[in-house]
Amino acid sequence: MNNTIMQYFEWYLPDDGKHWQRVKEDAAHLSEIGITKLWLPPSFKSTGTNDVGYGPYDLYDLGEFDQKGNVRTKYGTKDEYLEAINTLKEHGIMPIADIVLNHKAQGDEKETFEVMKMDPENRQQPISDKYEIEGYTHFYFPGRQGRYSDFEWHWYHFSGLDYDARNDETGVYLIQGEGKGWADNEEVDSEKGNFDYLMFNDIDYRHPEVVEETKRWVKWFIETTGIEGFRLDAIKHIDRSFIQELIAQIHAELGEKFYVFGEYWNADYETKVDYLEDIDFDFDLFDVKLHMNFYEAALQNENYDLTHILDQTLLEDQAWNAVTFVDNHDTQAGQSLESEVGAWFKPLAYGLILLLRNGLPTVFYGDYYGTQGENGHEGHQEIIDKLLRLRRDYAYGEETRYFDHPNCIGWVRYGDDDRPSGLAALISNGTEEGFKDMSLGELNAGKTFVDYLGYYEGEVTLDEQGNGRFHVHEKSISVWVDKETLAE
Ligand code: CA
């Protein structure tokens, strides 16, 4: 069966501690619709229960200890997390954890050390001399009291921070001392001079104690939770040689079946290919360029040339490493990388990622169930369900593309031995309906095809070579399948 990921959270989920329960209750349904991997939000204790999980405080606290004002996290307790994971596995869905290794937030105690203030737009450029500050860099986790690990974090385990408690000032502070500094330039993204620093206390992966403790934590986390995959957050801000070492360790201990993918938020194709080469392709990356193409296409309406919709995407050029998506928790309205694909184009975008041959598609919770918050919108569950069924039952075998008109593109999948029907898909961004002559091969000669999505009424009877003229309405999608397969 085709693999499909679902990102099972959006930024504005309620802070009700009930999300792990929602996962558990939804597992049977998710399995039914063809979801094979579920990407769960970060599960560790963060700055508060209203934290989505990207401000982690204690990676060993999965909602078990009274820290940061509560035992639970935004999503529930440790026991509920473990139950959700087990339930997913019982339904044949691979649970994937979101892992935030770049930084730690809100240390327990202040420490005194030296820094240089750096230009936020060029992290190589000091804008002060060396001077002493106080920062919340001592983490000793009083609520956990050494359970699972007695490691305490100090200022020298970090490379930089954003808050000087002595002078009550914020900035980008580079910690000074022997062996201190940002990650080497070639180890992190080059934006802002050196993009090691993202937020909070930036973890220094050149420090051997940090490397050792992080590897120990990864082992503990996998053994404790039974998780079967990782989504690594913010990897362009972390030494890539460390990421490579970590993935190699995981695959050595657990085998290649432990699935790892990551976010490298840079639409530049060369940068990503370089990254994949550096870490030996052991790893899947999000196809950010494809998302940006969808975003542009939605904005430009009929002026966008659909024949370029896959230009410079990972899906097109590095298919085996592309995790495709339409939107996510960062691109949704109101978030840091806001670039939400316009509602009219979402069904078309999902049609592309779910029914084209290449890439591992991700369905976003917010697109499926809707998003909350002031920019919230309704979900597209009905159409995504139909596209998921097409992916589960029809989108198999070889592919031929007909990307030959700026306002109407199409492709066919020929099916395989088990699922021979195949499909013929068309999308249009034009102001009037489109059509395309496409062939499903002689095996389908004489068969009658209908639009599975029900948008375009009528039937298409294929000739003796399996050719047919397929239609699609303006700004729409249609996916034609063998009518006989619908009755089964
Ligand atoms: Ca970093």
Side-chain angles (χ1 to χ4, degrees):
M1 195 171 87
N2 281 322
N3 268 308
T4 308
I5 302 177
M6 182 162 181
Q7 176 183 0
Y8 205 80
F9 63 104
E10 57 104 1
W11 198 269
Y12 301 102
L13 285 174
D15 171 16
D16 60 5
K18 291 187 174 149
H19 198 58
W20 301 144
Q21 290 176 41
R22 282 191 278 275
V23 172
K24 188 182 161 185
E25 284 159 17
D26 208 9
H29 160 249
L30 296 171
S31 170
E32 217 300 291
I33 62 174
I35 301 300
T36 56
K37 294 175 160 67
L38 207 73
W39 162 18
L40 300 166
S43 57
F44 16 77
K45 188 64 53 74
S46 300
T47 58
T49 58
N50 62 350
D51 190 319
V52 172
Y54 297 105
Y57 161 71
D58 184 1
L59 301 193
Y60 286 101
D61 182 357
L62 309 178
E64 182 178 9
F65 303 100
D66 189 2
Q67 302 192 109
K68 296 293 163 200
N70 230 309
V71 171
R72 72 165 175 93
T73 67
K74 177 172 184 178
Y75 309 109
T77 64
K78 178 188 180 186
D79 288 343
E80 289 164 336
Y81 182 53
L82 301 187
E83 251 183 84
I85 288 170
N86 281 330
T87 308
L88 290 171
K89 286 157 82 170
E90 281 163 22
H91 287 89
I93 299 173
M94 171 189 280
I96 296 173
D98 199 316
I99 305 294
V100 187
L101 296 178
N102 181 64
H103 49 264
K104 290 180 86 63
Q106 295 185 352
D108 301 302
E109 270 183 0
K110 282 186 283 193
E111 295 178 312
T112 302
F113 47 91
E114 286 190 325
V115 299
M116 281 205 289
K117 204 168 185 174
M118 309 303 277
D119 178 351
E121 294 310 313
N122 178 6
R123 311 294 175 70
Q124 309 261 45
Q125 183 61 50
I127 50 174
S128 79
D129 291 329
K130 235 192 271 189
Y131 67 108
E132 212 173 72
I133 68 164
E134 290 168 65
Y136 283 93
T137 48
H138 184 197
F139 291 75
Y140 66 100
F141 313 110
R144 178 160 56 82
Q145 300 201 317
R147 188 106 192 261
Y148 308 131
S149 169
D150 57 8
F151 188 84
E152 294 187 15
W153 295 75
H154 293 285
W155 64 270
Y156 47 83
H157 295 126
F158 301 102
S159 59
L161 71 165
D162 61 354
Y163 181 59
D164 167 10
R166 178 171 293 178
N167 301 301
D168 191 23
E169 275 180 5
T170 56
V172 177
Y173 301 98
L174 177 62
I175 295 173
Q176 303 295 304
E178 204 187 324
K180 299 307 294 177
W182 302 131
D184 291 343
N185 286 341
E186 61 275 16
E187 292 275 347
V188 290
D189 194 70
S190 58
E191 203 185 323
K192 299 187 192 295
N194 174 312
F195 220 171
D196 188 3
Y197 190 81
L198 177 63
M199 55 172 67
F200 298 117
N201 299 313
D202 188 71
I203 297 176
D204 181 357
Y205 283 99
R206 298 191 305 179
H207 199 297
E209 289 174 8
V210 168
V211 170
E212 192 191 337
E213 170 63 7
T214 304
K215 287 178 168 178
R216 187 163 57 222
W217 174 78
V218 164
K219 205 167 153 46
W220 172 85
F221 181 76
I222 295 171
E223 282 170 7
T224 301
T225 62
I227 206 81
E228 296 178 329
F230 280 174
R231 177 267 182 185
L232 298 176
D233 180 60
I235 50 173
K236 75 173 176 182
H237 307 285
I238 301 175
D239 308 55
R240 62 182 71 177
S241 54
F242 171 72
I243 295 288
Q244 184 184 17
E245 196 179 323
L246 195 67
I247 294 169
Q249 176 198 313
I250 292 168
H251 283 157
E253 286 176 11
L254 298 160
E256 296 286 328
K257 69 179 193 311
F258 194 94
Y259 183 66
V260 187
F261 68 117
E263 172 209 43
Y264 197 104
W265 196 267
N266 186 328
D268 177 37
Y269 171 71
E270 291 299 329
T271 306
K272 285 191 156 172
V273 171
D274 286 351
Y275 190 86
L276 285 170
E277 281 172 359
D278 275 1
I279 62 164
D280 295 338
F281 289 84
D282 210 4
F283 179 73
D284 287 4
L285 278 185
F286 283 110
D287 199 341
V288 173
K289 185 62 164 72
L290 183 64
H291 156 78
M292 294 309 292
N293 288 358
F294 291 158
Y295 176 62
E296 284 299 319
L299 282 179
Q300 294 176 26
N301 293 294
E302 68 274 14
N303 298 318
Y304 188 88
D305 182 346
L306 285 176
T307 64
H308 294 301
I309 195 75
L310 303 182
D311 281 6
Q312 299 201 309
T313 61
L314 286 180
L315 173 143
E316 191 67 339
D317 297 307
Q318 300 286 338
W320 57 94
N321 279 108
V323 176
T324 52
F325 68 102
V326 176
D327 273 303
N328 67 24
H329 62 292
D330 283 328
T331 68
Q332 72 184 95
Q335 278 316 302
S336 57
L337 303 164
E338 178 169 336
S339 51
E340 185 161 337
V341 174
W344 78 270
F345 197 77
K346 286 208 184 193
L348 286 65
Y350 273 101
L352 284 160
I353 67 168
L354 292 171
L355 304 179
L356 280 170
R357 181 176 177 149
N358 292 347
L360 173 52
T362 309
V363 175
F364 176 42
Y365 184 96
D367 285 340
Y368 191 78
Y369 286 125
T371 54
Q372 302 188 38
E374 60 181 290
N375 300 302
H377 60 70
E378 298 281 303
H380 301 258
Q381 181 172 355
E382 192 182 339
I383 180 68
I384 294 174
D385 270 339
K386 286 181 182 167
L387 292 166
L388 280 168
R389 279 200 293 275
L390 283 162
R391 176 170 180 77
R392 190 191 64 188
D393 298 338
Y394 293 88
Y396 294 90
E398 296 296 318
E399 170 180 291
T400 297
R401 291 187 196 155
Y402 298 76
F403 285 21
D404 52 9
H405 188 285
N407 296 120
C408 182
I409 57 173
W411 67 100
V412 301
R413 300 291 302 274
Y414 296 99
D416 61 14
D417 290 344
D418 297 330
R419 306 166 185 86
S421 162
L423 60 81
L426 294 94
I427 67 173
S428 155
N429 67 358
T431 51
E432 44 198 88
E433 72 168 72
F435 69 88
K436 206 167 286 296
D437 294 330
M438 300 194 283
S439 174
L440 279 135
E442 286 182 17
L443 284 175
N444 285 301
K447 287 186 180 167
T448 301
F449 274 54
V450 293
D451 178 10
Y452 186 91
L453 303 178
Y455 289 153
Y456 204 98
E457 289 182 5
E459 299 183 341
V460 175
T461 302
L462 306 186
D463 69 16
E464 60 273 22
Q465 275 93 44
N467 300 314
R469 175 163 289 185
F470 300 95
H471 293 261
V472 61
H473 287 299
E474 69 273 14
K475 290 187 161 50
S476 186
I477 175 170
S478 284
V479 183
W480 299 78
V481 300
D482 181 353
K483 187 183 173 187
E484 278 184 25
T485 62
L486 299 181
E488 286 170 11

